[in-house]
Amino acid sequence: MFDTLSGKVTSAIRNLSGRGKISESNVREAMEEVRRALLEADVHLDVVTDFCEGVVQDAIGEKVTSSLKPGEEMIGIVNQRLIDFMGPVDTHVMMVDPGPTIIMMCGLQGSGKTTTCGKLAAYLKSRGKNISLVAADLQRPAAVEQLQVIANDVNTNAKGVGKVTCYAEPEKCSEYGTATGVAVGVCKRGVKQARKDKVDVVILDTAGRLHIDDDLMKELRGVQSTTQPHQVYLVVDAMIGQDAVNAAGTFHEQLATDGVILTKFDSDTRGGAALSVKRVTGVPIKFIGTGEKYDAFEEFHPDRIASRILGMGDVLSLVEK
């Protein structure tokens, strides 16, 4: 991710090299190129506009220090703006005592939500937590069975002393669509069982849709009001750009999400979602999925992502000094 964006952004900034001073005209000229690069990377238009104007305002009148060239000075300014747009860092998973802590996962179908439930369980298992995964996605064929397999795999193979189990009612899948509140009932009973078993964390794997609709939101609101989750995480596919960001905005309006998990971050994608989703929703990006295995799951650090976008580690080190 970010290879194309990185090349275009750094090229635009390098064009300032050789100038004696950062002026408004040469900064705006460089930022027009950056603007085009960001739009091509599928960054949300409002985010691009705010970002570029913010960089211009930060840069105008900056005096270049004796150890820096204007291009290097701009890298420092752009780097800080990128960090501000994607940050702050907040990878903390809130835990309640006594437990269990209830985490509700939501997202569009195909975002990797069920797999991400397993990755989050593996992350918490490595920190000594006992986790119950609740299979409440009764919409997608075989989703319940998939979560059962994932729970068993994570429990057997993932590092850590914690235990991972799965609460599932496969027979309820046939009732989906004919009875209201079936998934809500599964979640309610799953949480009740988790309390009985004295687990530390319950992760609710809710249903997704190809597109947001009233039935989906009604079900999710029902799960939320019945189980009263302590955290609601939105799983977003980093590959689908502005569509993902628009969906994230709608989910947040309806459910007041607490954090975002970006999946498929290892793919050859333009990266627009990473730069846009925090700005659009106002909630932090908590984690990123960087591969298929359960340990391919990282805490999100805006400074590292900004450094990857700029692709100029040596110069960033100089600017920091």
Side-chain angles (χ1 to χ4, degrees):
M1 185 183 279
F2 299 128
D3 286 349
T4 302
L5 176 61
S6 176
K8 291 182 178 180
V9 170
T10 53
S11 175
I13 294 172
R14 276 198 188 99
N15 289 338
L16 288 170
S17 298
R19 310 285 181 93
K21 182 183 178 185
I22 295 176
S23 67
E24 181 170 354
S25 61
N26 60 39
V27 166
R28 288 195 180 278
E29 181 183 334
M31 290 313 296
E32 274 304 308
E33 294 181 51
V34 172
R35 177 187 176 84
R36 282 194 293 272
L38 292 172
L39 290 173
E40 288 172 10
D42 215 11
V43 180
H44 195 281
L45 176 60
D46 292 344
V47 175
V48 173
T49 301
D50 289 349
F51 176 80
C52 291
E53 190 53 40
V55 171
V56 171
Q57 295 305 317
D58 289 346
I60 290 172
E62 282 284 326
K63 292 182 179 179
V64 180
T65 63
S66 59
S67 61
L68 294 176
K69 299 174 183 177
E72 293 168 347
E73 189 91 26
M74 275 295 289
I75 286 169
I77 293 167
V78 171
N79 180 62
Q80 189 56 53
R81 275 281 163 176
L82 285 171
I83 293 171
D84 292 345
F85 262 68
M86 292 184 287
V89 176
D90 182 8
T91 58
H92 174 67
V93 179
M94 185 189 75
M95 294 289 165
V96 299
D97 187 19
T101 298
I102 304 170
I103 300 174
M104 177 179 169
M105 306 284 272
C106 58
L108 293 178
Q109 198 173 104
S111 62
K113 178 168 46 58
T114 299
T115 302
T116 300
C117 287
K119 289 182 176 182
L120 181 59
Y123 173 85
L124 294 170
K125 180 179 186 286
S126 70
R127 283 152 179 78
K129 305 297 182 184
N130 295 319
I131 305 104
S132 173
L133 298 174
V134 176
D137 183 353
L138 309 181
Q139 176 73 17
R140 183 169 59 85
V144 172
E145 291 82 356
Q146 182 189 2
L147 192 67
Q148 288 176 310
V149 170
I150 285 173
N152 183 62
D153 195 13
V154 172
N155 187 56
T156 304
N157 299 313
K159 296 177 181 179
V161 296
K163 184 179 179 182
V164 180
T165 57
C166 182
Y167 179 87
E169 301 179 15
E171 69 280 2
K172 293 293 181 183
C173 295
S174 61
E175 298 179 24
Y176 194 90
T178 59
T180 58
V182 177
V184 175
V186 170
C187 288
K188 183 178 180 180
R189 291 185 289 276
V191 171
K192 183 178 180 181
Q193 185 63 46
R195 287 200 173 100
K196 192 175 180 181
D197 296 339
K198 292 183 167 52
V199 303
D200 300 305
V201 183
V202 179
I203 300 176
L204 307 175
D205 181 23
T206 63
R209 296 286 192 283
L210 293 175
H211 302 285
I212 293 175
D213 59 30
D214 291 339
D215 289 340
L216 169 65
M217 285 303 169
K218 181 179 178 182
E219 179 176 298
L220 294 177
R221 286 195 298 269
V223 170
Q224 187 176 37
S225 63
T226 302
T227 63
Q228 295 291 301
H230 302 100
Q231 298 271 276
V232 179
Y233 290 161
L234 176 62
V235 181
V236 174
D237 181 348
M239 292 180 67
I240 59 175
Q242 290 211 36
D243 287 342
V245 175
N246 293 333
T250 303
F251 272 106
H252 181 62
E253 288 170 11
Q254 296 284 334
L255 301 171
T257 53
D258 299 291
V260 171
I261 300 175
L262 282 175
T263 63
K264 306 175 188 177
F265 216 72
D266 56 318
S267 58
D268 184 19
T269 141
R270 292 171 290 181
L275 290 174
S276 304
V277 72
K278 163 61 171 62
R279 194 71 170 184
V280 170
T281 63
V283 300
I285 301 172
K286 293 279 191 177
F287 302 96
I288 54 175
T290 57
E292 295 181 3
K293 295 183 179 180
Y294 298 126
D295 59 357
F297 190 70
E298 301 175 7
E299 297 176 352
F300 182 78
H301 294 281
D303 54 338
R304 297 177 191 174
I305 303 302
S307 182
R308 282 174 60 184
I309 292 172
L310 291 171
M312 304 180 78
D314 292 342
V315 175
L316 281 173
S317 298
L318 174 61
V319 170
E320 287 165 4
K321 288 177 183 177

